[in-house]
Amino acid sequence: MPHRELVESFIALVVQGKYVEAIEEFYAEDASMQENQEPPRKGRALLVAGEQKALAALKEIRTLGPNHS
């Protein structure tokens, strides 16, 4: 199980809107993601590229911190 500080560092990046940086720093090189019925994307570089593409298509993203209800 990850150390609390490590998890908090990951959460802090996400809350700051640094999604790409979170993937680069915390995902394994051979990580994979899958969106709904789409085939999995494999490899950190491909995940970063996919995240950059998704972010470029959006006008704004709002993230709530872990203590926000």
Side-chain angles (χ1 to χ4, degrees):
M1 186 153 132
H3 294 282
R4 183 176 186 88
E5 295 83 18
L6 189 63
V7 173
E8 288 174 352
S9 296
F10 175 77
I11 291 170
L13 283 176
V14 173
V15 169
Q16 294 171 43
K18 297 180 179 180
Y19 311 109
V20 171
E21 292 88 340
I23 293 170
E24 291 172 332
E25 186 172 338
F26 289 97
Y27 283 45
E29 190 171 326
D30 62 347
S32 66
M33 288 185 188
Q34 184 170 2
E35 306 293 335
N36 300 322
Q37 300 301 316
E38 298 294 319
R41 296 183 314 276
K42 297 179 182 178
R44 185 174 48 218
L46 188 57
L47 301 183
V48 166
E51 191 71 14
Q52 290 169 328
K53 182 180 176 183
L55 292 171
L58 300 171
K59 180 180 177 181
E60 178 182 40
I61 296 178
R62 295 182 187 186
T63 305
L64 300 178
N67 298 321
H68 188 3
S69 352

